[in-house]
Each structure stands twice: as C-alpha cells, then as structure tokens.
Amino acid sequence: MFGLFSKKTTDIAILQKEVDELNARLNAVAEVNKSLVGVINKQNVFDLITKKLASTVKMNFPSIWIYDVNKSTITLTSHSIPDSIKIIAETAIGKKIEDLSFYKGNPEEGDSTYFKVIETGKPIFSKDLYQHTRPFLSQNIAKILEVASGMKLAVSVPIIVEDKPIGILSAIWQDEVLSKEDEITLYTFANQISTAIYNAQLFEQVGNQVNSLEIKNKDLQSLYNLTSKISQSLDPTTVAQTAVNSLPQDKFLIGAALNEYLPKENAMGIVAFTENSMAYEVVKAMGGEPGKYKTSLDAPGAEFNIVMKAFKQAMPNFSNNLDDLLLPTIPKPVAAIIKGLLPVKSIATFPLKVRNKAIGTITYLLRDKTVEQLLEGEKQLLETYTLHIAIALENAELYKQQQIIQANLETALTEVQALRQHEQDMIDIMGHELRTPISIVRNALGMLELELKNTGEIKKENLGKFLGISMESARREVRLVETLLSSAKADSRGFQLLFEKVDFLDVINDSLEFFAREAEKKGLQIKYTRPSEEYLVYADRTRIQEVMDNFLSNAVKYTEKGYIKITPRKEGDFAWIDVSDTGIGMSEKDLKSIGQKFYRVDQYMDSELTGSEKPNIIRPGGTGLGLYVTFSLIKVMDGKVEVKSQIGVGTTFSFCMPLFKGQESKQEQRKP
C-alpha cells in the first residue's frame, strides 16, 4: 500500500513539473507577444526571445541570425551566451561574438549549415557542433563547448517572413531529440521573431509614409501651381518661360534654366530661365543676350558640360561644380562673375523627353544641398517637375503641328477640288479629242458618198484627197486610244517590259523616218548627224521608240519656224538623246508641272505671228497624257529625263537609258 502511494506521489510530482514547465513556456510566449504589440525596436524583441528561450527550454546559447540578401551575409543579431563561454569562443575565432557573420561568396562559409537553412527554408539538426558551426569553430573548441553546455543536439530553424527565409533561430539542445512541446515552443518563438520583424518593417514604412506625405503635400501644391500655369498657353516659347518661372523658389531650389536642342546647328541653346533679381544680374554679366550663347555638341570641352551629357545620355546628371554648367558655353571670365552671383551648392540637369526622345534639358539650381546630400524623394520631385514641363511642351508642339496640318489640309482640299475640276475639264477635252478624228472621217466619207449619189462616180483626185484625210484622222484616233491605254496601264498594273540590247541610233532613225516628212511640210530643218561609235542601251525596244516618237512629235508640233536638232551623247553609265527645237517654249510654271497627268502646257504665239509686242496665250491641244506616259516609261526603264525651255526661244527634252554592258535579256512587269 505504501509503495503504491509513493508511486502516485512521484507521478503527481512529475506531472506538476510538466505543468510548471508548460506554464513557464506559455508565460514566456505571452510576454513576448505582449512586447510585439506596437513594436518599434525589433532588437528588443530579439533579445527578449533569446533570454526566454534560455530560461524556459532545455537549451543553451539561443541565438538569432539575420540574412542580408543584398550583401549575401548571415549576421548574428541577438544571443544568450554566458560570458564564460563567450570568452572561450571569442579567443578561438579571434573576434567578438557580436561581429560574427557568414559570407556567401566565401566557399567555406557559403557551404555552412546556416546558408543551407536559408536556401532550403527547412530546419537542420546536428549532433556534431563542429559540423553545425564550421568554419568558425575548430573541432577541439566545438568539443569543449559540447561538454560545457551539455549539448546533445544543435538546432537551426528558419525565420520566415512573407514566405521567404530571412534569418535563423539557433540553439544547443540538452536532449538527443526534441519533444513535441520543445518543437512547438521553438517554432512559436521563430514565428514571433518573424512577427517582430514584419511589425517593425510596417512601423518603419508607416513612419516613412507619414513623413513622405507631409513632404508630398508641399510638393503636390508646387506641382499643381506649375501645371495650372503652364497649361494656360499653347505657345512653346511661352510654356517654356512660364515653366521655369512657376517653379518654387525656396531654401531648396532657387531657379532653373531650359535649353533646347537645335538640330541644324547640332547645338544646345538657352530658351528660358527663371526671371528673378539674381537672374537679371547674371544676364547683365552675359552682356544682356543669353540667347547668343549656344554650344555645339561637338565643341571642345562639351563632353564635360552637364547639359550636353544629360542630353546625349538622355539621363539626369548632377554636379557640385557650377563650372560644369557654364563651361565651355560661357567664357571663363564671365563664368567667374556668374559663380559669384549664384549661391548654389549643386546643379541637377534632366533631359526633356518627348515620346522617349530628348528635345532639350532643364537645369535646376540647388541652394543648400550637395549632390551627396540630395534625398531620393528630392530627385524624384525634380524628375516630376521635368515630366510635367515636357508634357506641356509636347502639347504645345502638337498644337502647333496640328495648326500647320490643318492649314495644309485646307490647302490640299483646295488643290484637290481644283484637280477634280481640272480632271472633269480634261474628260470633256478628251471626249472632244476622241470625237474630232471620227467626225473628220465621217465627213470625208460623207463627201465621197454624196459625190457618188449625185454623179454616179467619184473623181480620182477627190478619192485620194478624202481617203488621205480619213487615214490621217484614223491614225490620230489610234494614237489617242494608245495613249489612253498606256496611261491606264501606268496607273494600274504598270508596263510589261522586255529588257534587251537596243541600238539607240536605230531608234532615232525610225522616228526621223516618220516625222521628217511632217517637219518638211512645215518648212522645218532637221539637224542630225549619226555618230560613228555605237550607242547600245539596255531597255525595251518598243517602249523606247514610243518615248523618242513622243519627244520628236512634240518638237514638230510646237515649232512653227526654225529647226529641230537631235544630239546623242554619253555620260558615265548612260546614253543620252537631246531633242531641241526653236518652238514656242515653256514658262517656269510649266516646267515644274510638265509630265504630270492631264497637265497641258500653255501655248504662245510670238509677236511676228500675232502682231503684238507680247506673246499671247492660246488654248492648248491634246489630252495632257502623252508626256505623263512618256516620263513614266523613262522612269520604269531606269532612265532619267530633263527639260530646259524658254518662252519664244525653244525647248530641249533630254532623256537617257542605261548603257548595255552584256546584261541578260529579261521580261518584267514594272509600275512607276
């Protein structure tokens, strides 16, 4: 009976001990939780956790290590290591415990247990302290610490914040395995560390945001003032001046200058600067004409100028030296005077970008801060100012372009309406041109028919006369139809061409054979001497004949007296033919439009024909399509055409074709 009572008493004592341990754990967790509320200093929480771990759990040397991803290091942040053990460890490793860190870039340290915990996000347990703490502890020192601490197990648990391992909770355990309660306690403290870090980060963020909001409130007001003022105008020059004048002038910023890129000069020039008393003194020192100071991007020393660098790199540039802004744009003596006038500690130049392309720069003059003292928020504010100014300048430029486009569209509309009327007139003219030859044929045949009815026969001379008239009119009709068809081909699918070796001189002879008689009828002299050397070109034989016929036909048609001269020549890789006449000539206006579709040159009759001192304009004939087709053919055959003319003196049409150099014959469809 007594033994049974004794056993129950022992069981109760054990149970009571477990309850006491559990209460101690719960109290430790509760105390830490209480300290987490409104946590500001996470270091205090870390120290409290390591202290509670050492006093409530069967472990020694609890420590917290934090991982710095930017530096690739794991650093000891908090621990509860007795002084006696610290002395041994510090003597062994040659540095203070508080200075311990592991560096990923060091092969031995990067392969340590702690980095494996960070990389895997899983705990690591080890019965060998040396394997757990190498390379800092030697095997002998590790063995001494194992004995001194009663170590059975070394434990490292990851500290996880937002699903990322950011540190390690490490300790030396006095049991060979973790009990369920020990494991729960250990992970609870690891989670509390995570919460402390997270809360501290949030508190820091909130504090920063409050400060940032106060600063931003002021900055937003200045941005509002800037935006509201620069949006009142759509003139680029006015916008630029308003922008620099609307920037706040305070302890931070005393003014700004805006430069634009001048493409024709490949230089930067001042467009606007803050208008205040200091600026007036600076302008005075510059001789009253700041606009004359321009700097080529290629000028000696320009590569060191902050404006040039910001523009070329399309990135902000900063400097504590005002010379970097003034030189080499401004002469050194003048720059020295300006430096004495401006209380500037630093300068910041930002590129003004429109659709990702730099169009100029704006330079801010900063009163009380060097480049090194500038806060990131202050740089962002300057960048925001720059962005708003760039947008305003872009809007002004777009408006200016829109005004130009609108004016061009109105002009184009007028031209299109005129062209439509012109085409309508030409359709009427073509109808007349096509009807006229048919009418002549009909009338000639009618005369023959009437004579046959009245006399029963047709006189031989009348038959030859009226048949000749009919044939000539029929040929004219065919030429008109062929011209219309060629024009339609040029506008739609183009020309089917056979490129081959062509004798240019044979082309001239074939044209002369047909048109020489017409020239002779008008009393015109043909001046042409066939050269002894060959003139072989690479072209379409039929089409090149069409070109030559058209030029020679026009020369005969528009020349009343004098001569027509044909001159072949060679220049470089081309063979040329000049067709000159002493005809009525053309005006400068005609020369600009010659060869356009439906364009007909005004014809003139000189004083000998009209009895007047000034040439008189007479109504032109034709469809205005002949030269359009001719010029199109020359272009599609890789040739060139030139026209020189003077009213009352004559005209020269010159055209060329590539020389034949053994090219293979080929057939191609080409469109002008």
Side-chain angles (χ1 to χ4, degrees), residues 80-91:
S80 286
I81 301 175
D83 291 341
S84 58
I85 301 299
K86 272 184 65 177
I87 293 172
I88 298 173
E90 288 177 348
T91 302

Side-chain angles (χ1 to χ4, degrees), residues 218-231 238-259 272-276 278 348-350 352 361-367 378-390 392-393:
K218 178 185 174 184
D219 295 343
L220 285 172
Q221 186 61 45
S222 66
L223 279 172
Y224 172 77
N225 293 336
L226 173 66
T227 305
S228 61
K229 289 181 180 179
I230 61 179
S231 62
T238 304
V239 169
Q241 188 60 59
T242 303
V244 292
N245 283 343
S246 302
L247 290 167
Q249 298 178 42
D250 49 25
K251 187 179 179 183
F252 173 61
L253 186 63
I254 67 170
L258 197 149
N259 288 68
F273 52 86
T274 304
E275 295 175 322
N276 54 28
M278 282 185 295
T349 301
F350 288 75
L352 288 164
T361 63
I362 182 167
T363 300
Y364 301 98
L365 307 178
L366 309 179
R367 186 193 298 270
E378 291 168 333
K379 292 181 182 179
Q380 290 177 358
L381 175 63
L382 296 178
E383 191 163 0
T384 305
Y385 285 150
T386 304
L387 178 61
H388 281 249
I389 293 170
L393 288 171

Side-chain angles (χ1 to χ4, degrees), residues 27 30 49 301 399 413 424 552 572 595 657:
N27 289 334
I49 288 174
Y399 177 76
L413 178 61
Q424 184 60 48
L552 191 54
M657 287 289 122

Side-chain angles (χ1 to χ4, degrees), residues 13 28 40 138 150 166 176 237 263 270 323 332 374 380 386 406 409 431 441 455 525 531 541 565 587 597 640 661:
I40 298 176
S138 66
I166 58 95
E176 293 185 355
T237 303
I270 298 174
D323 281 340
K332 285 186 177 181
L374 277 177
Q380 290 177 358
T386 304
Q406 184 175 342
L409 285 175
V441 171
T455 64
Q525 180 184 1
R541 179 65 176 81
K565 184 178 181 181
S587 66
K597 192 175 184 180
K640 304 173 187 176
K661 295 182 178 181

Side-chain angles (χ1 to χ4, degrees), residues 157-377:
V157 176
I159 299 169
I160 297 177
V161 174
E162 295 182 326
D163 299 328
K164 292 182 180 179
I166 58 95
I168 299 166
L169 174 58
S170 183
I172 293 176
W173 222 256
Q174 296 172 342
D175 290 336
E176 293 185 355
V177 293
L178 290 179
S179 66
K180 189 66 176 176
E181 293 80 5
D182 289 340
E183 187 176 345
I184 291 172
T185 302
L186 189 60
Y187 277 102
T188 299
F189 281 122
N191 290 335
Q192 286 178 322
I193 296 170
S194 301
T195 303
I197 294 172
Y198 184 71
N199 287 350
Q201 289 174 344
L202 285 180
F203 184 85
E204 186 178 351
Q205 289 174 8
V206 170
N208 291 338
Q209 287 173 357
V210 170
N211 293 333
S212 177
L213 286 173
E214 292 176 352
I215 296 171
K216 283 182 179 179
N217 183 47
K218 178 185 174 184
D219 295 343
L220 285 172
Q221 186 61 45
S222 66
L223 279 172
Y224 172 77
N225 293 336
L226 173 66
T227 305
S228 61
K229 289 181 180 179
I230 61 179
S231 62
Q232 293 174 9
S233 174
L234 284 172
D235 174 65
T237 303
T238 304
V239 169
Q241 188 60 59
T242 303
V244 292
N245 283 343
S246 302
L247 290 167
Q249 298 178 42
D250 49 25
K251 187 179 179 183
F252 173 61
L253 186 63
I254 67 170
L258 197 149
N259 288 68
E260 71 170 336
Y261 175 62
L262 308 170
K264 291 183 179 180
E265 303 171 54
N266 191 33
M268 300 296 291
I270 298 174
V271 179
F273 52 86
T274 304
E275 295 175 322
N276 54 28
S277 57
M278 282 185 295
Y280 291 133
E281 292 299 321
V282 170
V283 171
K284 188 176 178 181
M286 296 170 69
E289 297 182 58
K292 73 178 182 180
Y293 290 99
K294 301 173 184 177
T295 307
S296 169
L297 268 65
D298 300 322
E303 66 271 21
F304 304 112
N305 185 280
I306 194 170
V307 171
M308 308 297 171
K309 289 195 290 185
F311 178 78
K312 283 184 174 180
Q313 298 168 3
M315 291 177 60
N317 271 257
F318 303 86
S319 176
N320 294 326
N321 189 351
L322 201 54
D323 281 340
D324 291 341
L325 171 65
L326 302 176
L327 303 178
T329 306
I330 297 172
K332 285 186 177 181
V334 179
I337 297 172
I338 294 174
K339 287 167 66 178
L341 295 171
L342 296 176
V344 174
K345 275 198 174 182
S346 63
I347 46 179
T349 301
F350 288 75
L352 288 164
K353 295 181 183 179
V354 172
R355 298 176 187 176
N356 291 325
K357 182 181 180 181
I359 61 166
T361 63
I362 182 167
T363 300
Y364 301 98
L365 307 178
L366 309 179
R367 186 193 298 270
D368 68 339
K369 288 194 173 185
T370 64
V371 173
E372 294 74 21
Q373 293 170 335
L374 277 177
L375 301 176
E376 193 61 35

Side-chain angles (χ1 to χ4, degrees), residues 433-449:
E433 292 284 342
L434 290 169
R435 285 196 300 270
T436 299
I438 296 175
S439 298
I440 293 172
V441 171
R442 184 180 61 195
N443 292 338
L445 295 177
M447 293 295 292
L448 293 175
E449 183 183 28

